[in-house]
Amino acid sequence: AQSVTQLDSHVSVSEGTPVLLRCNYSSSYSPSLFWYVQHPNKGLQLLLKYTSAATLVKGINGFEAEFKKSETSFHLTKPSAHMSDAAEYFCVVSARRSQSGTYKYIFGTGTRLKVLA
Amino acid sequence: NAGVTQTPKFQVLKTGQSMTLQCAQDMNHNSMYWYRQDPGMGLRLIYYSASEGTTDKGEVPNGYNVSRLNKREFSLRLESAAPSQTSVYFCASSGEETSLYFSGNTIYFGEGSWLTVV
């Protein structure tokens, strides 16, 4: 069975400092992993997704995530936080439903990022 | 690019009233979903549709009905609204992607519908 754990419910950083949002997953086979961002009163926007092309995945707005199979982690990072990064971030793993072959998505509980001026 | 469009954005209902949330996607995706998002509960799947003409229950289907009108449109109906259905509702869609480095489905979300039942 697949699962995803976001290790921090809240993270606060100062503007201009690095961001680290942690995600661990559990999957019985090669996972499909995603990070989404949700700004206040908005929908979830795709930040990046893991592909087998590289373990370090680059996304939008300067975000990156590194896939570490040995640690079953997919942590999200950004070298320098901006005020506009304040939002909630969701780590997601997807898996095929065995019966229908469709996909189901398992969402982490979210990490709220606060950026201090 | 429109992506996933859902209406209305905001709605206030009285207990017992009915309403339909509309959703359309222009990405030619086979699968569509309705989620609700509540504080402390995360995103919960209400119903999904794997393809035109099929619908299946998710985690929290009670009190809701859905219609997959065609490949583009997937509506969510509250027949008799209850205060417990006060929530933010998200429509989403996904389609099969196969490339050299990725095989799977990426899910794309609408902007959300804020529903209050009083």
Side-chain angles (χ1 to χ4, degrees):
Chain A
Q2 289 74 33
S3 67
V4 61
T5 303
Q6 291 185 244
L7 297 159
D8 306 293
S9 58
H10 293 83
V11 170
S12 290
V13 301
S14 296
E15 191 175 22
T17 65
V19 175
L20 170 64
L21 305 182
R22 299 182 294 166
C23 173
N24 284 102
Y25 69 91
S26 171
S27 178
S28 53
Y29 46 83
S30 184
S32 291
L33 292 162
F34 309 83
W35 274 100
Y36 287 81
V37 60
Q38 185 180 27
H39 290 278
N41 300 320
K42 294 288 188 181
L44 280 74
Q45 180 186 15
L46 178 68
L47 267 181
L48 50 82
K49 64 187 178 189
Y50 169 64
T51 75
S52 60
T55 56
L56 183 63
V57 183
K58 293 188 183 299
I60 61 171
N61 301 334
F63 283 93
E64 297 179 340
E66 187 169 9
F67 174 69
K68 291 188 177 180
K69 188 174 181 178
S70 61
E71 298 176 11
T72 61
S73 69
F74 191 55
H75 299 337
L76 183 70
T77 61
K78 183 172 181 178
S80 176
H82 191 271
M83 296 297 289
S84 60
D85 295 328
E88 189 149 23
Y89 292 80
F90 293 92
C91 183
V92 180
V93 61
S94 75
R96 274 191 187 272
R97 291 184 177 87
S98 55
Q99 288 183 332
S100 65
T102 58
Y103 284 84
K104 61 180 178 182
Y105 298 87
I106 298 96
F107 292 83
T109 50
T111 299
R112 188 166 296 277
L113 176 65
K114 188 174 182 179
V115 181
L116 306 170
Chain B
N1 293 333
V4 180
T5 305
Q6 55 181 109
T7 57
K9 179 89 170 179
F10 300 99
Q11 184 73 47
V12 179
L13 285 178
K14 293 182 179 178
T15 298
Q17 285 185 320
S18 63
M19 79 158 297
T20 300
L21 299 176
Q22 307 285 355
C23 176
Q25 53 92 8
D26 62 3
M27 294 175 282
N28 201 36
H29 287 164
N30 282 323
S31 300
M32 296 185 74
Y33 313 81
W34 277 105
Y35 289 88
R36 59 178 291 173
Q37 186 179 37
D38 302 288
M41 304 292 288
L43 278 142
R44 293 181 291 171
L45 182 64
I46 305 171
Y47 271 93
Y48 68 98
S49 170
S51 61
E52 184 179 352
T54 69
T55 61
D56 284 288
K57 295 178 180 179
E59 303 169 65
V60 289
N62 291 345
Y64 305 95
N65 286 303
V66 290
S67 295
R68 183 74 183 267
L69 305 169
N70 47 56
K71 191 170 186 179
R72 289 186 65 248
E73 299 172 289
F74 187 40
S75 62
L76 178 72
R77 183 161 178 84
L78 287 70
E79 291 291 352
S80 178
S84 61
Q85 294 178 304
T86 293
S87 187
V88 184
Y89 292 86
F90 289 100
C91 180
S93 71
S94 70
E96 192 76 36
E97 305 164 43
T98 303
S99 69
L100 186 61
Y101 301 112
F102 181 79
S103 179
N105 276 223
T106 304
I107 189 168
Y108 297 92
F109 290 85
E111 289 285 283
S113 296
W114 274 254
L115 178 64
T116 302
V117 183
V118 298

